Amino acid sequence: MVSSPHEAMHRIFQEYPGLFSRVSDVLGVDIPPPTSATLMPTDLTEARPVERRVDTLLRIETEDDGPFLLAIEAQGKKDPDKTVSWPYYVTYLNNKYRLPTLLLVVCQDHATAEWAARPISIGLRHWQTFALYPLVAGPHNMPVITDVAEARKDLALATLAAITHADNPDVGAILKTLSAALRDTPETIADPIVELTAQGLGNRPAAQHWRNLVAVDLSFYKSFMSEEIRDEGRAQGRAQGRAEDVLLVLERRNITVPDKVRDRITDCGDPETLRQWLMRAVTAGSAEEIFAEE
C-alpha cells in the first residue's frame, strides 16, 4: 500500500515542477535552470501484462541545453527490486522520448538514502554494459531550514526539506518555521503546502505537531485539511471537557481515582465513550467500575 509520505515526496514536484532546479543546487549538481516543466504520463507499461509506473515524471525545458526528463521516485525503505525497475525506467524513457533522463530518489531516512545512492551496474565484473547513478535527496543533504526569511524565499524547497527531515529531532523547529513563513501567504499558495506537509509527515508524532501549528491560525487555510483540523479540534475539546466531568463527579462523590484510572480517562479521545463513563460515574462504587462493562 502506498503511504501518504510516499505520495508527498514525489507529488510536491507535480505541484512545483521548478523545484528540481533548487534541489539540484542543494545536491551540488550543475543542471541548467529550467524555462518550463511539463507533467508527463507516468505509465511505463508495455504491451505485455506487466505494469510499471514511475511515481512522477516531468519534462523539463532549459534555455541552452534543450529538454530532459526527470523521473522522481519516493522511497520509504530499501527495496532490492528497484535495482531492476529503476534501470528499466531510465532506458525505457530514453528510448521512448529520445531525451536525456535523470532519476531523482527522495527519502526520509539516512539508511534508505545511502542505499538509493549506490550506482546500479548491469554487466560483468570485468565490463559494465550500463550504469545508473541516481540523484538522492534526503535528510543527509537537504537543508534544515529554521529561519523564517529563508523559508519564505522558497516555500516549495522548505516544504520538501521539512518532509525529508520528518524524523529529525529538531523537526518541531523546522515545522514552526514553515508555519510562520506561511502567515499572510495567499491561500492558493498556502493550501497545497499545508496539505503536502501533513501528507509527508504521515503518522509520525510530527504530524500532530504540524496540525497543532496550523490550527493556531486558520484564517488563510480554506482547504479540506483545515476543515478536518477544525473537526478534530472540536472533538478534542468535547473529549477533554467530558473527561474533566467524569473526574469531577468521582471527586464530588469522594471516590479515590488511582493514577492509572485518571490517565485512562484523560487520554481517551472518544466523546461517546467518555459520556458512558460519566453516566457510570454517577453510581459507581469505585473508579474502576466505570470501565466494568468493557
Side-chain angles (χ1 to χ4, degrees):
M1 181 180 294
V2 176
S3 65
S4 58
H6 176 279
E7 288 296 289
M9 284 191 287
H10 72 86
R11 194 166 67 84
I12 188 172
F13 290 90
Q14 298 177 17
E15 296 284 345
Y16 309 99
L19 174 60
F20 177 66
S21 176
R22 283 93 77 191
V23 172
S24 64
D25 288 340
V26 172
L27 301 182
V29 181
D30 185 16
I31 294 175
T35 56
S36 67
T38 305
L39 189 62
M40 303 284 286
T42 60
D43 191 349
L44 310 184
T45 307
E46 295 183 283
R48 296 171 299 171
V50 178
E51 183 176 311
R52 300 177 189 270
R53 291 181 184 273
V54 67
D55 287 333
T56 287
L57 179 62
L58 298 174
R59 176 188 169 116
I60 297 181
E61 303 285 342
T62 64
E63 186 170 352
D64 299 321
D65 290 14
F68 67 91
L69 296 179
L70 176 65
I72 303 164
E73 285 279 279
Q75 198 63 34
K77 62 182 180 180
K78 299 177 184 179
D79 183 356
D81 290 340
K82 294 298 183 180
T83 59
V84 176
S85 58
W86 286 345
Y88 172 85
Y89 294 167
V90 171
T91 54
Y92 175 90
L93 290 168
N94 180 260
N95 180 66
K96 180 177 181 179
Y97 294 101
R98 295 290 195 264
L99 289 175
T101 303
L102 296 180
L103 172 66
L104 173 65
V105 184
V106 185
C107 307
Q108 288 179 297
D109 68 273
H110 291 271
T112 302
E114 182 180 359
W115 163 82
R118 296 173 184 171
I120 300 173
S121 298
I122 298 175
L124 301 177
R125 179 170 59 89
H126 303 287
W127 190 268
Q128 300 302 315
T129 305
F130 174 88
L132 173 63
Y133 297 88
L135 292 170
V136 178
H140 65 299
N141 57 13
M142 292 300 291
V144 175
I145 300 176
T146 54
D147 179 79
V148 175
E150 182 182 357
R152 280 180 177 152
K153 287 180 182 177
D154 194 334
L155 289 170
L157 180 63
T159 302
L160 180 64
I163 291 171
T164 56
H165 287 292
D167 293 320
N168 190 303
D170 295 325
V171 68
I174 296 171
L175 295 176
K176 185 175 182 180
T177 299
L178 181 57
S179 177
L182 290 175
R183 292 198 180 104
D184 302 321
T185 302
E187 64 184 63
T188 54
I189 297 175
D191 282 351
I193 290 176
V194 171
E195 297 194 19
L196 279 167
T197 304
Q199 188 177 29
L201 297 173
N203 58 3
R204 293 172 171 83
Q208 186 57 50
H209 184 65
W210 176 244
R211 289 175 177 272
N212 292 340
L213 286 170
V214 172
V216 170
D217 181 6
L218 293 177
S219 61
F220 55 90
Y221 293 123
K222 308 297 184 184
S223 62
F224 171 79
M225 179 186 164
S226 67
E227 295 301 323
E228 184 179 308
I229 290 174
R230 288 189 183 97
D231 291 342
E232 286 184 1
R234 296 188 189 105
Q236 290 174 357
R238 290 196 299 271
Q240 182 178 356
R242 286 187 176 172
E244 293 173 354
D245 290 342
V246 173
L247 294 172
L248 179 61
V249 168
L250 293 173
E251 178 184 335
R252 290 293 177 88
R253 297 186 60 227
N254 295 319
I255 293 178
T256 301
V257 181
D259 290 341
K260 186 175 181 180
V261 173
R262 183 180 300 275
D263 290 343
R264 183 173 176 183
I265 293 171
T266 55
D267 289 344
C268 180
D270 181 12
E272 179 57 30
T273 299
L274 286 162
R275 187 184 70 83
Q276 295 176 7
W277 292 350
L278 178 61
M279 294 173 61
R280 296 173 193 165
V282 176
T283 58
S286 67
E288 290 81 0
E289 283 187 19
I290 66 172
F291 314 130
E293 298 180 21
E294 300 178 9

